[in-house]
Amino acid sequence: EYLDFTAGIAVVALGHNHPDITAAVVDQASKLVHCSNLYHNEWAPQLARNIVESTIAAYPQGTQGIYAQAADGRSPARVFFSNSGTEANEGALKFARKYGKHVAELGTLGKGTSEALRGDPNLKCGIVSFTGGFHGRSMGALSVTANPKYQKPFTPLIPGVQTAKYNSTSEIGAFVDERTCGVIVEPIQGEGGIHPAQVDFLRALRRRCDQVGALLIYDEIQCGLGRSGKLWAHQLYPEDCSPDILTMAKPLANGIPIGAILVSDKVAELIKVGEHGTTFGGNPLACRVGCTVLDHIAKPEFLEHVQNAGQVLEQELQQALAPFVGSTVVELRGTGLLRGIQFASDPAQIVDLARDRGLMLVGAGGNTVRLVPPLNTSIADIKRGAAIIADCVKQFAAERKA
């Protein structure tokens, strides 16, 4: 028996063998698994509606980006489905490219710039990403993932991508300019080592994107859908940090492949039928399960449990690891049930020691062990996992001294 603090790398938010997930899969598989987007199915529009409505309900103070309201008070935000996180990010980058052409053709960015861009709208094609980010392994997503380990075997990558320093507000003006069409960032970096964005950093990105007519894209594939204790990690931040595009995937169908792109009205209205497509995206099986997952995660009491469990995990680890901070342990980071323990040296042995004791862990960048248990993990199991981690760190530290 194992206690899983990986959740399939932040995927099985409701744990393994959840009865509601099993029932949804079995029932839908006995009816209709796939019909393509040539035909309507009941579950894709239902899930899209649920994503929009639950997002708006969870953040009533939102007024910008995906939260902008139509004259009748309803949200005009729209959802495009895919099959994975990297595909969701690919779609977001495509949408940013088309939006950039649109802004260039409008000629609203100042006389000199507008004349140049109207002469060649393709010039407004730049994409900015950040150090430590991870956005996927397909070519576009890989190009905005600034990690040589992933990029080097597949160079040259797509042109027009620049990498700025994460959480460096002073660099934004130099990198995000009138030729930028999109900026992609994780509000809390996962693969990079569990690094939350600073409020001033996201606020400055939002302001600069507005100034130069670029789209702000939040990749919440790992940090979203309840993982932070909020429905979306960016909902931990002020409303003037809101995105134009939000990508999601991992936990949306608890292990059934799915991804989605939530876009504001100003983006959706530019994307015409047939300009972006998918064979499997929006299939009834994945969307039916997605509805079941979201019904659980979006409930305030569910998110309250994530917050409480995260606080317990933090408290247990802070107390148990205090003797090792400053030597073996560098820092504890994170929020909700997205946590990281950074070590002074490679912690691969910690992962092995934990597995031998019945606890599954996964690493992340910067000598960090990532803690991403299912969101419905009991408080008792949270404490049990923290105790195992503490025991592993104690042995790890002792062996380093020997």
Side-chain angles (χ1 to χ4, degrees):
E1 180 178 302
Y2 289 88
L3 180 58
D4 187 0
F5 268 34
T6 72
I9 314 183
V11 169
V12 287
L14 301 184
H16 304 280
N17 303 317
H18 191 287
D20 292 351
I21 300 299
T22 302
V25 170
V26 170
D27 183 63
Q28 191 59 41
S30 69
K31 296 175 179 176
L32 184 66
V33 172
H34 176 74
C35 62
S36 87
N37 289 316
L38 295 174
Y39 305 99
H40 172 87
N41 79 76
E42 64 178 305
W43 291 106
Q46 183 63 57
L47 180 56
R49 184 180 301 111
N50 291 355
I51 289 170
V52 172
E53 291 180 353
S54 62
T55 297
I56 301 302
Y59 199 68
Q61 65 268 43
T63 59
Q64 300 182 44
I66 59 174
Y67 298 97
Q69 294 184 347
D72 60 5
R74 293 189 296 179
S75 171
R78 296 291 181 267
V79 175
F80 296 79
F81 287 112
S82 66
N83 309 288
S84 66
T86 193
E87 289 177 67
N89 283 336
E90 292 285 350
L93 297 177
K94 285 176 66 177
F95 297 165
R97 282 281 175 87
K98 183 167 188 192
Y99 183 81
K101 288 185 179 183
H102 169 71
V103 172
E105 290 165 351
L106 287 178
T108 57
L109 294 176
K111 187 178 181 195
T113 300
S114 293
E115 289 177 355
L117 294 179
R118 273 190 298 198
D120 184 1
N122 286 329
L123 291 174
K124 191 169 176 61
C125 66
I127 298 167
V128 176
S129 60
F130 297 92
T131 55
F134 182 87
H135 303 289
R137 297 175 185 264
S138 53
M139 193 56 75
L142 179 64
S143 298
V144 295
T145 296
N147 187 327
K149 179 175 72 172
Y150 299 124
Q151 290 186 336
K152 188 175 180 180
F154 306 105
T155 54
L157 304 172
I158 67 169
V161 176
Q162 296 188 87
T163 303
K165 186 177 180 181
Y166 190 69
N167 273 333
S168 177
T169 303
S170 63
E171 291 190 5
I172 292 173
F175 281 87
V176 183
D177 59 25
E178 286 80 3
R179 295 195 179 196
T180 303
C181 67
V183 174
I184 185 167
V185 65
E186 296 166 272
I188 304 175
Q189 292 185 339
E191 176 73 19
I194 319 300
H195 295 283
Q198 297 170 0
V199 173
D200 288 347
F201 174 65
L202 293 186
R203 180 177 283 140
L205 281 179
R206 173 72 276 171
R207 186 184 305 117
R208 184 60 175 164
C209 284
D210 289 339
Q211 289 172 349
V212 302
L215 295 179
L216 180 58
I217 304 165
Y218 283 171
D219 175 345
E220 294 220 27
I221 289 161
Q222 183 161 170
C223 64
L225 286 167
R227 178 61 56 185
S228 69
K230 296 290 187 179
L231 183 60
W232 302 107
H234 74 265
Q235 293 176 342
L236 294 165
Y237 295 83
E239 63 90 17
D240 58 352
C241 300
S242 299
D244 299 300
I245 298 180
L246 177 68
T247 59
M248 66 197 79
K250 283 181 178 290
L252 184 55
N254 212 63
I256 302 296
I258 192 173
I261 316 161
L262 176 61
V263 303
S264 64
D265 181 54
K266 72 179 183 181
V267 179
E269 67 181 7
L270 294 178
I271 309 302
K272 308 306 179 186
V273 174
E275 288 186 337
H276 185 60
T278 169
T279 297
F280 296 105
N283 71 76
L285 177 63
C287 290
R288 167 80 179 272
V289 178
C291 285
T292 302
V293 170
L294 195 57
D295 283 347
H296 283 271
I297 290 178
K299 291 179 179 176
E301 58 268 28
F302 186 94
L303 294 172
E304 184 178 356
H305 169 77
V306 176
Q307 295 167 17
N308 292 337
Q311 290 171 0
V312 170
L313 181 58
E314 180 179 24
Q315 292 165 1
E316 295 287 313
L317 290 174
Q318 283 181 338
Q319 181 176 354
L321 301 184
F324 307 102
V325 174
S327 53
T328 304
V329 175
V330 175
E331 187 180 24
L332 281 69
R333 293 188 294 269
T335 188
L337 288 176
L338 179 57
R339 300 280 172 173
I341 307 171
Q342 183 179 353
F343 290 85
S345 58
D346 183 358
Q349 186 186 355
I350 296 285
V351 176
D352 294 339
L353 291 171
R355 185 175 60 248
D356 292 342
R357 290 163 169 79
L359 177 67
M360 298 166 65
L361 299 176
V362 62
N367 290 334
T368 301
V369 170
R370 190 175 0 175
L371 312 178
V372 283
L375 302 184
N376 57 352
T377 301
S378 69
I379 298 298
D381 280 343
I382 291 291
K383 291 182 176 181
R384 182 158 67 99
I388 293 173
I389 292 169
D391 187 48
C392 294
V393 173
K394 183 178 180 181
Q395 179 179 337
F396 181 70
E399 292 179 358
R400 287 295 180 276
K401 287 183 178 180

